[in-house]
């Protein structure tokens, strides 16, 4: 009887007590886990910063002036991560461990003496071990360093921020602007103290800061005056007025004023004024004439010790081509080339060639641009480690010399290693098989005495792939290794190789000639293919960011010694017609010429707000009628076709923060036979979509074309059927296309240390231009092409080692235009459930 409970009490116990207890437990857990418990006495957490009243000023520039910002919540709440790691943080234990480690190493070092090698190793290990422990003691454990410590509100920093905003607004012409701020306690979270009606001492410690700006009318220039004591300087500056950055009616802007000062300085330095500095330029603003107007006066003062600014000419130019080399008791030999003195212990590089790279000449006025051009052109030769151009003032010996201001130019170039080798090893894991690969590159500088660069590259690699095989009338995927061997030889000559004499004018554009010969051998279970290619390129720079490449000769000889018949029949169904597929594996000669324009204002590590535009045009086989009959004679069977290929690739890099970027890319192209009677295109000239630099959820070159669905074939040539009676899709056949449209959007952000993150979305596809009965849905159509754009999304990690960026991307299909039935692949998304839904991409460098 004592163990029996009334039914009513039993019901109350099930429906009332546990629910109430669970609710209280959750509330207590939420209160106990509050990050506010990380705060000390009388400390407050900066919860949010608001900016109000900005209508004309740049609000992003203003927000960059904040001395304090709340903890970041993207892509993960950094404060929560920090708090999680704090639960495992024990500074006392770390301090004891650090002291014990130091004491232990000190004892071992004492015992190792006098063995200096052993002592050195122990010192290195002690430094590495103690540095890691000290880092954990100062900044927390690894989890804490992934997050952020709480931002403790500081009213002094808020006041300084308001002052900085006020200064910034006045520098932009808002002279009558006002900046006010408020800091209020705010908490929108659920509070246990508020629920119970008691004092909320824990939760009312979040601060909301609001900056309110009153801009008022900005000031504009009503008059621009100049006051220059040196008449020669005045004439030069006034003559350059069309290029001035200041205009009547423009809004007052101290940043533009600073740029105008820099422009005037560069202008005068290009006209011989070697000693001129921005400090001589003063700009005075007068706002007393009319409301919201500024009269700006540019004042250029003379040097304190002279009546005018001296203008310098070049007396001598000396070029030391082996700077840094020391040979005791031996003097450098001197060769004079067009009034320039070339000095070296042994002249290994042609002075005539080097003289073409020098833009500084005796008798000319000093010119800053020519100085920079000389340094850039010599550095681009790739035969010197570093190059400097210095000037020495000529000491006057007579009264007449004192009236002439002269400089001696000294160009110093330190030679680079004559021979250099680079070895790379790596591996892939595809189709459940490891695939090692290796590259060997050998570089020889100045092999013929004309600052040439000769490069030899050897590469060998294996990669797994799936092969479809038949076993007892069943289709199975079998793992196979493919082999790729290659070699290439490149010679870069630092001038245009033409049968006529080039002018000195071309030297400013850093002209180069590149001659390349390459051989590639690929063997797969389906075929064996060789490609012998030779190119002849002219390369020149329009600017530091803009390069042109003209290739008058690009010759390729392709051969296929072995071709599996079943594979060819499968591949033929992917081509516009059987003739095109047959041409791909015939012996073929592909001659073409092309032109490339490449503009890229970014750097190797992509750390700038930049643009990228690559335009490419290629025409092949235009001279085919001259030698087609000759190549086909005597049964050689070498085919030649004609085609044209156009491609445009645009990228934009928006810098949002020190390591945060919003990047997007648009890429498109078309390839077609040049003549109407032709219907074949070389296989290597087709466009492909999918892969680590394209639509990343698809395997390389496997996306498309259009909405065409590819199925596995059975032994009789029909569509293979699985156990559920459904057709088996084929994800392992390359899908060539004649039209390419694709794009990428990516947000890159820092995570911790050298690890950065990214979230991205890719879209695109390839299409056939002409109707193709064998591939329904493959043809491009304006009325439906937007519904045939494949879409994938994902996230990635970038390990930035400065000299190398290692990238890991995980992408899943969102919209698959080639899928039968529903195209929304995201509805059946699974990380490991399907071989074709999610892709892992490992690469070097950024995808674009």
């Amino acid at each position: 009887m004592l163990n029996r409970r009334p039914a009513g009490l039993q019901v109350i116990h099930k429906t009332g007590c546990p629910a109430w207890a669970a609710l209280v437990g959750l509330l207590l857990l939420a209160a106990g886990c509050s990050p506010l418990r990380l705060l000390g006495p009388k400390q407050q957490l900066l919860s949010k910063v608001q900016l109000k009243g900005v209508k004309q000023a740049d609000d992003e520039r203003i927000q960059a002036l904040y001395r304090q910002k709340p903890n970041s919540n993207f892509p993960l709440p950094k404060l929560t991560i920090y708090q999680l790691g704090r639960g495992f943080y024990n500074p006392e234990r770390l301090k004891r461990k650090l002291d014990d480690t130091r004491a232990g190493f000190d004892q071992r070092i004492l015992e190792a003496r006098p063995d200096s090698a052993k002592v050195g190793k122990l010192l290195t290990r002690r430094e590495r071990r103690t540095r890691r422990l000290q880092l954990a003691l100062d900044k927390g454990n690894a989890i804490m360093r992934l997050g952020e410590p709480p931002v403790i509100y500081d009213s002094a920093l808020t006041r300084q921020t308001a002052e900085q905003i006020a200064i910034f607004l006045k520098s932009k012409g808002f002279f009558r602007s006002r900046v006010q701020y408020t800091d209020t306690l705010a908490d929108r979270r659920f509070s246990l103290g508020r629920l119970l009606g008691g004092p909320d001492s824990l939760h009312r410690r979040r601060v909301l800061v609001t900056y309110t700006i009153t801009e008022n009318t900005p000031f504009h220039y009503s008059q621009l005056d100049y006051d220059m004591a040196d008449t020669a300087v005045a004439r030069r500056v006034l003559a350059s007025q069309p290029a001035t950055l200041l205009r009547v009616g423009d809004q007052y802007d101290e940043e533009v004023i600073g740029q105008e000062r820099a422009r005037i300085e560069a202008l005068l330095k290009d006209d011989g004024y070697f000693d001129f500095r921005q400090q001589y330029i003063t700009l005075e603003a007068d706002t007393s004439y009319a409301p919201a107007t500024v009269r700006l006066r540019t004042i250029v003062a003379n040097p304190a010790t002279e009546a005018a600014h001296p203008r310098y000419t070049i007396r001598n130019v000396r070029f030391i081509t082996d700077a840094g080399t020391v040979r005791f008791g031996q003097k450098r030999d001197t060769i004079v080339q067009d009034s320039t003195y070339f000095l070296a212990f042994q002249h290994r590089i042609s002075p005539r060639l080097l003289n073409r790279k020098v833009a500084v000449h005796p008798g000319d006025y000093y010119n800053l641009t020519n100085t920079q051009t000389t340094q850039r052109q010599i550095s681009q030769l790739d035969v010197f480690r570093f190059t400097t151009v210095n000037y020495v003032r000529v000491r006057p010996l007579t009264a007449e010399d004192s009236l002439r201001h002269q400089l001696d130019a000294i160009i110093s170039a330190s030679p680079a290693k004559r021979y250099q080798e680079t070895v790379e090893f790596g591996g892939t894991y595809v189709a459940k098989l490891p695939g090692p690969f290796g590259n060997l590159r050998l570089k020889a500088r100045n092999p013929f005495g004309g600052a040439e660069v000769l490069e030899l590259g050897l590469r060998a690699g294996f990669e797994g792939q799936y092969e479809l095989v038949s076993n007892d009338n069943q289709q199975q995927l079998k793992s196979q290794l493919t082999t790729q061997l290659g070699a290439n030889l490149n010679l870069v000559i630092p001038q245009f190789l033409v049968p006529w004499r080039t002018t000195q004018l071309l030297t400013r554009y850093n002209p180069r000639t590149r001659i390349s010969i390459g051989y590639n051998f690929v063997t797969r279970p389906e075929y064996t293919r060789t490609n012998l290619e030779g190119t002849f390129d002219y390369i020149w720079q329009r600017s530091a960011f803009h390069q042109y490449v003209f290739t008058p000769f690009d010759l390729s000889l392709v051969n296929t010694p072995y071709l599996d018949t079943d594979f060819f029949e499968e591949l033929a169904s992917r081509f516009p017609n059987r003739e095109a597929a047959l041409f791909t594996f015939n012996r073929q000669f592909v001659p073409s010429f092309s032109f490339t324009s490449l503009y890229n204002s970014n750097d190797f590590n992509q750390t700038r707000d930049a643009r990228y535009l690559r335009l490419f045009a290629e025409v092949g086989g235009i001279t085919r009628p001259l030698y087609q009959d000759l190549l086909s004679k005597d049964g050689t069977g070498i085919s030649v076709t004609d085609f044209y290929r156009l491609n445009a690739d645009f990228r934009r890099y928006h810098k949002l923060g020190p390591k945060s970027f919003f990047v997007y890319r648009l890429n498109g192209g078309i390839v077609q036979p040049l003549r109407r009677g032709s219907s074949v295109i070389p296989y290597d000239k087709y466009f492909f979509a999918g892969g680590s630099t394209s639509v990343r959820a698809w395997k390389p070159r496997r996306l498309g074309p259009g909405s065409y669905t590819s199925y596995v074939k059975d032994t009789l040539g029909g569509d293979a059927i699985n156990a559920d009676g459904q057709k088996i899709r084929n994800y392992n056949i390359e899908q060539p296309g004649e039209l390419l449209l694709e794009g990428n959007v990516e947000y890159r952000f820092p995570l911790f240390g050298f690890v950065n993150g990214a979230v991205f979305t890719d879209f695109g596809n390839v299409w056939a231009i002409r109707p193709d009965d064998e591939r329904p849905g493959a043809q491009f159509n304006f009325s439906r092409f937007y519904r045939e754009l494949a879409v994938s999304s994902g996230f990635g990690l970038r390990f930035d080692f400065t000299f190398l960026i290692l990238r890991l991307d995980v992408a899943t299909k969102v919209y698959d235009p080639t899928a039968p039935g529903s195209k929304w692949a995201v509805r059946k998304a699974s990380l490991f459930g399907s071989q074709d839904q999610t892709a892992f991409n490992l690469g070097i460098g950024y995808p674009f």
Side-chain angles (χ1 to χ4, degrees):
M1 293 291 295
L2 292 176
N3 294 329
R4 295 183 61 186
R5 297 177 181 176
L9 181 61
Q10 214 170 16
V11 173
I12 293 174
H13 179 76
K14 289 184 178 181
T15 61
C17 293
W20 181 84
L23 179 60
V24 171
L26 289 174
L27 293 175
L28 290 174
L29 180 62
C33 294
S34 171
L36 298 178
R37 293 192 175 276
L38 298 174
L39 305 180
K42 297 183 180 180
Q43 288 184 338
Q44 296 170 322
L45 179 71
L46 180 61
S47 177
K48 189 176 182 181
V49 179
Q50 293 181 338
L51 180 64
K52 296 182 179 180
V54 178
K55 298 179 181 178
Q56 303 178 62
D58 189 341
D59 55 350
E60 291 185 2
R61 295 282 297 276
I62 293 175
Q63 292 171 12
L65 298 174
Y66 292 168
R67 299 295 301 274
Q68 277 192 311
K69 294 183 180 180
N71 291 106
S72 172
N73 289 318
F74 185 85
L76 295 172
K78 299 294 184 68
L79 182 55
T80 302
I81 296 175
Y82 178 87
Q83 185 183 11
L84 176 64
R86 184 62 180 266
F88 305 98
Y89 180 62
N90 190 328
E92 292 78 12
R93 187 176 64 182
L94 284 172
K95 183 66 169 62
R96 290 194 301 269
K97 188 174 182 180
L98 179 60
D99 294 338
D100 293 343
T101 301
R102 284 174 176 165
F105 272 101
D106 289 343
Q107 179 64 31
R108 295 172 64 184
I109 291 172
L110 187 62
E111 295 172 353
R113 291 177 180 176
D115 189 340
S116 59
K118 191 173 181 180
V119 169
K121 293 180 180 179
L122 289 172
L123 287 172
T124 302
R125 292 176 59 190
R126 184 184 68 177
E127 175 64 22
R128 183 170 62 249
R129 191 82 58 84
T130 56
R131 185 171 60 246
R132 185 168 62 248
L133 290 172
Q134 190 66 49
L135 176 64
L137 184 62
D138 295 339
K139 296 186 178 181
N141 54 40
I143 299 178
M144 294 171 65
R145 296 197 298 272
L146 284 174
E148 294 177 357
V151 179
I152 308 301
Y153 174 66
D154 188 338
S155 59
L157 294 180
T158 301
R159 182 175 62 255
Q160 294 174 16
T161 299
E163 294 171 355
Q164 291 296 318
I165 294 175
I167 294 173
F168 172 78
L169 291 173
K170 288 179 173 53
S171 73
K172 295 298 181 180
F174 297 94
F175 293 126
R176 296 176 181 172
S177 60
R178 295 193 308 274
V179 180
Q180 298 172 313
Y181 68 89
T182 59
D183 47 0
T184 58
L185 293 175
D187 181 39
R188 290 179 290 180
R189 296 194 176 188
F190 189 78
S191 169
L192 181 60
R194 188 181 303 120
L195 175 67
L196 301 177
D200 192 7
S201 60
L202 178 63
H203 286 267
R204 291 195 54 78
R205 296 171 66 180
R206 300 178 184 272
V207 177
L208 168 64
V209 176
T210 302
Y211 296 100
T212 304
I213 294 175
T214 305
E215 294 176 336
N216 290 321
T217 304
F219 282 60
H220 294 75
Y221 303 121
S222 62
Q223 186 173 322
L224 301 173
D225 299 323
Y226 293 87
D227 184 358
M228 292 172 278
D230 190 329
T231 56
V233 170
R235 286 194 300 270
R236 186 69 185 93
V237 173
L238 294 176
S240 69
Q241 279 302 95
T244 184
L245 303 177
L246 302 175
R247 297 281 190 275
V248 173
D250 288 352
Q251 184 173 324
Y252 177 89
D253 192 334
E254 290 183 4
E255 187 176 358
V256 178
I257 289 175
Q259 295 171 1
E260 176 66 8
R261 293 179 67 200
R263 185 193 71 85
I264 294 176
E265 180 189 23
L267 173 74
L268 295 176
K269 281 184 175 292
D270 280 347
D271 203 31
Y273 294 93
F274 176 74
D275 288 328
F276 193 86
R277 300 292 185 271
Q278 286 191 40
Q279 287 76 1
Y280 294 115
I281 307 173
T282 306
L283 288 98
E284 293 183 351
D286 190 344
T287 61
S288 62
Y289 284 90
T293 61
V294 177
R295 288 190 177 185
L296 192 68
R297 173 175 294 182
T298 302
I299 302 172
V300 180
N302 282 339
T305 58
E306 298 190 45
H309 289 277
R311 196 179 182 199
Y312 288 83
T313 57
I314 307 299
R315 187 184 69 169
N316 294 319
V317 179
R318 292 185 175 89
F319 194 150
I320 303 174
T321 61
D322 55 1
T325 304
V326 178
R327 294 185 181 179
F328 295 102
Q330 184 177 350
K331 292 184 178 180
R332 286 185 169 90
D333 182 42
T334 302
I335 296 178
V336 181
Q337 180 75 37
D338 292 342
S339 301
T340 299
Y341 295 88
F342 290 88
L343 292 82
F345 292 113
Q346 183 177 358
H347 295 279
R348 298 182 181 276
I349 304 177
S350 168
R352 180 179 179 183
L353 171 82
L354 294 176
N355 187 61
R356 298 175 67 88
K357 304 296 181 180
V358 177
V360 178
H361 305 291
D364 293 348
Y365 283 108
Y366 165 78
N367 188 289
L368 177 61
T369 300
N370 288 344
T371 302
Q372 295 171 341
T373 300
T374 299
Q375 187 167 352
R376 185 183 70 251
Q377 291 183 159
I378 296 174
S379 299
Q380 290 173 339
L381 288 176
D382 194 23
V383 293
F384 297 108
R385 287 192 297 118
F386 66 85
T387 305
T388 60
V389 182
N390 297 315
Y391 291 90
V392 178
R393 293 180 179 84
V394 177
R395 181 180 298 178
L397 301 177
T398 64
E400 184 180 354
D401 289 343
S402 63
L403 299 177
R404 295 184 301 174
H405 298 84
Q406 292 183 316
L407 301 170
D408 283 343
I410 302 175
I411 306 171
S412 301
S414 177
K417 292 174 57 178
R418 189 164 188 182
Y419 301 102
Q420 180 179 339
E421 68 282 343
T422 304
V423 180
E424 297 178 352
F425 292 101
T428 61
Y429 187 78
V430 181
K432 300 180 181 180
L433 289 176
F437 65 85
N439 296 322
L440 172 64
R441 290 198 296 270
L442 303 176
K443 177 185 288 188
R445 295 182 173 92
N446 193 40
F448 309 116
E452 308 90 353
V453 175
L454 182 65
E455 289 184 298
L456 172 64
L458 302 174
R459 59 188 179 276
F462 303 91
E463 183 175 302
Q465 75 164 49
Y466 284 112
E467 180 190 12
L468 193 66
V469 296
S470 299
N471 187 12
D472 297 331
N473 295 326
Q474 293 184 353
Q475 300 287 333
Q476 296 180 348
L477 290 176
K478 180 181 179 182
S479 298
Q480 296 279 1
L481 275 178
T482 65
T483 303
Q484 181 171 338
L485 304 175
N488 63 281
L489 185 67
N490 300 328
L491 177 65
V492 179
I493 304 171
Q495 57 184 327
F496 280 162
L497 197 61
V498 291
W500 61 86
R501 184 180 179 87
T502 58
T503 64
Q504 188 72 19
L505 178 64
L506 289 176
T507 303
R508 291 182 174 271
Y509 299 101
N510 187 30
R512 286 165 290 165
T513 302
R514 181 174 59 198
I515 304 173
S516 302
I517 300 176
Y519 177 79
N520 192 44
F521 171 83
V522 177
T523 177
R524 296 173 46 164
E526 303 91 351
Y527 62 84
T528 300
R529 187 178 178 87
T530 64
N531 185 3
L532 178 63
E533 185 175 14
T535 60
F536 188 92
D537 303 316
Y538 292 119
I539 307 170
W540 69 99
Q541 301 278 151
R542 180 182 178 184
S543 66
F545 302 137
H546 199 172
Q547 180 184 86
Y548 294 115
V549 180
F550 173 58
T551 305
F553 303 105
D554 186 344
L555 309 177
S556 181
L557 184 62
V558 182
N559 188 25
T560 308
Y562 166 73
L563 176 63
D564 182 77
T565 305
D566 294 336
F567 169 77
F568 174 76
E569 295 298 333
E570 173 73 11
L571 190 66
S573 63
R574 313 285 182 247
F575 277 79
N577 53 60
R578 189 176 183 85
E579 181 185 359
L582 187 62
F583 172 82
T584 298
F585 290 97
N586 278 347
R587 298 179 64 188
Q588 54 181 281
F589 175 61
V590 185
S592 69
F593 65 91
S594 62
F595 181 81
T596 303
S597 171
L598 176 61
Y599 178 87
N600 184 12
S601 58
N602 219 328
D603 55 12
F604 171 76
N605 289 329
Q606 298 189 8
T607 60
R608 300 175 180 170
D609 191 289
R611 290 175 173 82
Y612 174 102
L613 177 62
R614 180 181 181 270
L615 302 176
F616 175 80
E618 182 180 15
V619 177
I622 195 171
T623 58
R624 183 182 68 166
L626 300 178
Y627 45 76
Q628 176 65 81
D629 295 339
L630 180 64
L631 293 178
S632 301
K633 191 170 62 174
D634 299 331
T636 57
I638 300 179
S639 304
V640 184
T641 187
D642 49 65
F643 66 93
Y644 71 89
R645 193 175 193 265
L646 305 176
N647 181 229
D649 186 353
F650 175 75
R651 308 170 191 179
R652 182 70 172 94
Y653 305 86
H654 289 279
K655 189 170 185 177
L656 306 179
K659 290 187 177 181
S660 300
F661 294 87
F662 176 74
V663 185
Y664 63 86
R665 173 194 185 215
L666 298 173
N667 183 30
I670 184 173
V671 58
Q672 280 282 277
L674 193 62
R675 295 179 174 88
R676 289 192 176 184
S678 176
S679 60
V680 296
I681 301 172
Y683 189 73
D684 295 335
K685 303 301 179 180
Y686 279 100
F687 288 102
F688 298 88
S692 62
T693 60
S694 181
V695 187
R696 279 167 272 190
W698 272 260
K699 296 177 183 178
R701 305 162 71 99
R702 264 63 173 182
L703 172 58
S707 58
Y708 169 70
T709 305
S710 177
Y711 294 102
V712 174
K713 301 297 182 181
D714 58 21
T715 55
L716 300 178
D719 294 331
I721 305 298
N722 60 17
D724 298 329
Q726 303 294 325
K727 296 181 181 179
I728 303 175
R729 292 189 62 184
N730 194 338
Y731 300 100
N732 299 297
I733 293 294
E734 294 183 356
Q735 304 291 351
E738 299 164 322
L739 178 67
L740 168 70
L741 291 176
E742 68 178 3
N744 313 82
V745 178
E746 184 167 294
Y747 174 66
R748 301 169 183 170
F749 51 88
L751 285 177
F752 63 94
F754 64 93
V755 182
N756 300 322
V759 291
F760 56 83
T761 295
D762 310 320
F763 58 91
N765 208 335
V766 293
W767 291 267
I769 298 295
R770 290 161 294 179
D772 188 354
D773 296 335
E774 298 295 328
R775 298 185 298 171
Q779 185 183 12
F780 180 82
N781 191 307
F782 273 104
S783 63
R784 70 168 190 271
F785 83 94
Y786 60 90
R787 299 197 302 269
E788 296 175 342
L789 291 172
V791 181
S792 71
S793 291
F795 64 92
L797 298 175
R798 285 87 170 93
F799 302 90
D800 189 351
F801 300 104
T802 304
F803 62 92
L804 174 70
I805 296 174
L806 186 63
R807 169 172 52 92
L808 172 63
D809 288 332
V810 181
T812 188
K813 296 178 181 178
V814 176
Y815 182 82
D816 184 359
T818 64
S822 176
K823 310 295 184 182
W824 291 101
V826 70
R827 296 175 180 172
K828 53 184 178 180
S830 174
L831 191 60
F832 301 104
S834 174
Q835 65 155 333
D836 62 283
Q837 176 61 35
T838 302
F840 295 83
N841 297 290
L842 181 65
I844 296 176
Y846 288 100
F848 52 88

